[in-house]
Amino acid sequence: MAPQRFREQFEQIQRSMPDVPLAMGPDDAGEFLYEKGVVLARDGEEARVVEDTVRQHFTTFAGLAPDHVRRTSPETNRSGITRIRVADPGQGDGSGDPAVAGALRALSATEGRAGRRLVSRNHVVSIAVNACPGDEPVPVPVGERPNPAAAEAAHDPDSAVGVLVIDTGLMHDHRSYPLLAHTRGDAQVEECDGEGVLKQYCGHGTFIAGLVAAVAPNTDITVRGTLNDAGAVLESEFGEKLFEAVDQDGWPDVISLSAGTSNGRTDGLLGVDAFMRELREQHTLLVAAAGNNGSATPFWPAAYASLPGYENAVLSVGALRADGEFGACFSNHGAWVSAYAPGERLVSALTGFDTPVPYVYQHSTYDACRYGFSYACTCRYPRHTGVLSEEDGSAKPDQVMFEGLAQWSGTSFATPVAVGMVAAHMTAQAQTDPRKARRQLLEANTEFAEVRGAHVPALLPPTWRPVGASLPSVRA
């Protein structure tokens, strides 16, 4: 059976959120996921306008009872967002939601008069390797060094750059990896299932932290498990969770965020609007993954880098393929992506340092690149068979053992490489302003790559090495 990566992940995420009926959008195109029967509005007067307009529209044109439309969350959250129920979320399947689409249409004229967006779907925000993953982790031989390798720089607590990784939590044995000895934060929830098999995406945050520490050893890294639950959270909750992450220790120098969603729009994500406005007033630089849909559609929050007022506050990062000369097949792209960094077949810390840990693949590889590329990309190599792709039992899924380091691909991992480049620049130049460091780094950059015909900035760490075309199967 040919793999259908997005649909496989739709079912996986739905299982992780059993009480939240989900749909694909727009319509059945499989570009993003969202909560059925619910729309979002800003608290206060705008929520009232949305509620009244939708109620009138549905009563007049759709024959729904007025009490179908009602607010389902209090107007007290810091992100300033209210959930408004517009229909029974249990109706229909996951191929779009006509009631939500109708609510969006009902507000279109009102939004035009107001001069700004009033309503939104409640999108699912996921780690950028989740709803359309670059690939799954692959074991590397014991003794292989990380890639990028550790830079020759000392960790100095007095001058270290503060980095906050918002992702999945830290694996229990992360301190066994020397580069993460001083990393702190939240523990990964439920690393393995009842049979001792590593769960999908566990180790994602640890892998990211390892990449930051390799490129920029003089960093104080904190990992928050904001996305521990299969890497997915509703937009209505995401802004609040971002606030909680920064509130624990204060605003850091740099935030590494390998999560987001597209929404079919070019004006941002309603659920994170309050957080992004507060970020703009801080000194913090947000470095965010561009996403793995192989698309030019803006992916949020990364695409804020292209919006007026956020140019210096956000660095959006796409992924280069293993040779560093071209874009990875899966990487999102477009004028809203600030720069690209290596994001294919990187090697960093995962788990199994103390005791080897088994993992069963969830997705099968493709016979041909799903984005139409001809190079030996991660769509096809290393070859493996996955549980979600072979639910009819036609083939046995592959199992591997992790013993510390792993190889992994995605814009999720290009992002911490770019974080490390910014932090290393801050240390080398005694720069205390991460936003100035962002600008200086890009202005001084002399490396470029080709992405979909465009000549783009390539952030290549000195210790990163291109990976050759030797691509063995993971099967024993």
Side-chain angles (χ1 to χ4, degrees):
M1 180 186 300
Q4 299 290 326
R5 195 69 61 90
F6 191 88
R7 292 179 182 277
E8 291 165 12
Q9 280 305 335
F10 170 78
E11 295 172 6
Q12 180 101 334
I13 291 174
Q14 182 64 88
R15 284 193 289 268
S16 76
M17 307 171 75
D19 299 326
V20 182
L22 300 177
M24 295 183 190
D27 301 319
D28 194 23
E31 184 177 302
F32 51 75
L33 308 179
Y34 64 97
E35 182 181 12
K36 293 175 61 180
V38 169
V39 296
L40 303 182
R42 294 180 183 88
D43 291 344
E45 179 62 18
E46 290 191 13
R48 186 194 64 76
V49 169
V50 170
E51 189 176 2
D52 290 348
T53 302
V54 173
R55 181 179 290 112
Q56 178 62 37
H57 171 83
F58 280 176
T59 302
T60 303
F61 298 105
L64 295 178
D67 63 358
H68 270 93
V69 181
R70 62 180 184 275
R71 305 182 199 194
T72 63
S73 61
E75 299 181 14
T76 56
N77 60 76
R78 189 173 171 187
S79 60
I81 294 299
T82 294
R83 292 171 72 255
I84 299 175
R85 179 176 167 180
V86 297
D88 181 356
Q91 296 293 319
D93 56 20
S95 58
D97 187 333
V100 169
L104 299 179
R105 287 194 298 271
L107 268 297
S108 59
T110 304
E111 287 184 324
R113 292 192 296 271
R116 73 169 186 167
R117 181 183 186 188
L118 299 178
V119 67
S120 167
R121 295 178 177 90
N122 192 14
H123 301 88
V124 174
V125 178
S126 61
I127 55 179
V129 74
N130 200 327
C132 194
D135 71 349
E136 294 175 80
V138 177
V140 299
V142 175
E144 181 168 335
R145 65 173 181 163
N147 187 26
E152 293 183 2
H155 176 254
D156 174 17
D158 295 329
S159 65
V161 177
V163 175
L164 172 61
V165 175
I166 298 178
D167 206 87
T168 63
L170 290 163
M171 302 300 280
H172 76 280
D173 56 353
H174 72 276
R175 293 190 185 277
S176 297
Y177 185 55
L179 288 177
L180 297 181
H182 59 273
T183 299
R184 63 190 184 92
D186 301 331
Q188 170 70 47
V189 176
E190 294 185 281
E191 296 181 8
C192 298
D193 63 19
E195 298 180 354
V197 176
L198 186 68
K199 288 190 171 183
Q200 194 174 20
Y201 305 117
C202 284
H204 193 264
T206 301
F207 194 95
I208 286 171
L211 290 170
V212 174
V215 178
N218 192 31
T219 46
D220 282 336
I221 303 170
T222 301
V223 179
R224 291 296 169 208
T226 303
L227 296 163
N228 256 332
D229 188 7
V233 64
L234 288 172
E235 179 182 341
S236 57
E237 303 170 8
F238 188 50
E240 199 74 9
K241 286 181 176 292
L242 291 175
F243 277 123
E244 290 173 1
V246 298
D247 285 348
Q248 291 191 61
D249 302 290
W251 289 84
D253 294 315
V254 184
I255 294 174
S256 181
L257 179 63
S258 293
T261 181
S262 59
N263 64 353
R265 297 184 61 105
T266 59
D267 56 356
L269 206 61
L270 200 62
V272 302
D273 183 61
F275 178 83
M276 295 303 297
R277 283 188 281 109
E278 186 159 334
L279 168 76
R280 191 169 53 187
E281 304 306 315
Q282 302 293 332
H283 80 290
T284 299
L285 173 67
L286 172 64
V287 184
N292 303 323
N293 302 91
S295 169
T297 301
F299 187 85
W300 308 98
Y304 275 92
S306 65
L307 295 187
Y310 292 97
E311 304 92 333
N312 294 319
V314 181
L315 178 68
S316 53
V317 185
L320 298 175
R321 72 187 197 187
D323 61 9
E325 298 181 3
F326 299 89
C329 69
F330 53 78
S331 181
N332 285 348
H333 50 91
W336 54 274
V337 182
S338 309
Y340 293 76
E344 194 174 63
R345 300 192 174 98
L346 301 182
V347 177
S348 183
L350 189 72
T351 191
F353 290 100
D354 301 333
T355 304
V357 180
Y359 178 74
V360 176
Y361 281 94
Q362 301 297 299
H363 303 286
S364 297
T365 42
Y366 291 69
D367 292 330
C369 174
R370 62 190 187 273
Y371 303 108
F373 283 69
S374 59
Y375 79 100
C377 65
T378 58
C379 296
R380 298 187 289 159
Y381 303 103
R383 302 291 298 172
H384 48 251
T385 299
V387 174
L388 299 176
S389 304
E390 308 291 339
E391 290 187 332
D392 60 359
S394 59
K396 182 180 180 181
D398 289 305
Q399 178 173 306
V400 293
M401 300 294 291
F402 286 107
E403 299 183 69
L405 300 184
Q407 175 183 283
W408 214 343
S409 303
T411 59
S412 278
F413 313 122
T415 297
V417 169
V419 168
M421 294 283 283
V422 172
H425 178 88
M426 292 177 68
T427 296
Q429 302 299 320
Q431 175 60 261
T432 58
D433 185 336
R435 298 184 181 183
K436 286 184 179 179
R438 172 203 183 279
R439 185 177 68 251
Q440 292 167 354
L441 181 66
L442 291 178
E443 288 176 348
N445 180 65
T446 59
E447 300 286 349
F448 291 87
E450 183 179 321
V451 176
R452 310 277 180 153
H455 199 52
V456 300
L459 300 177
L460 306 179
T463 61
W464 170 79
R465 64 190 187 279
V467 179
S470 177
L471 302 167
S473 169
V474 301
R475 293 193 178 99

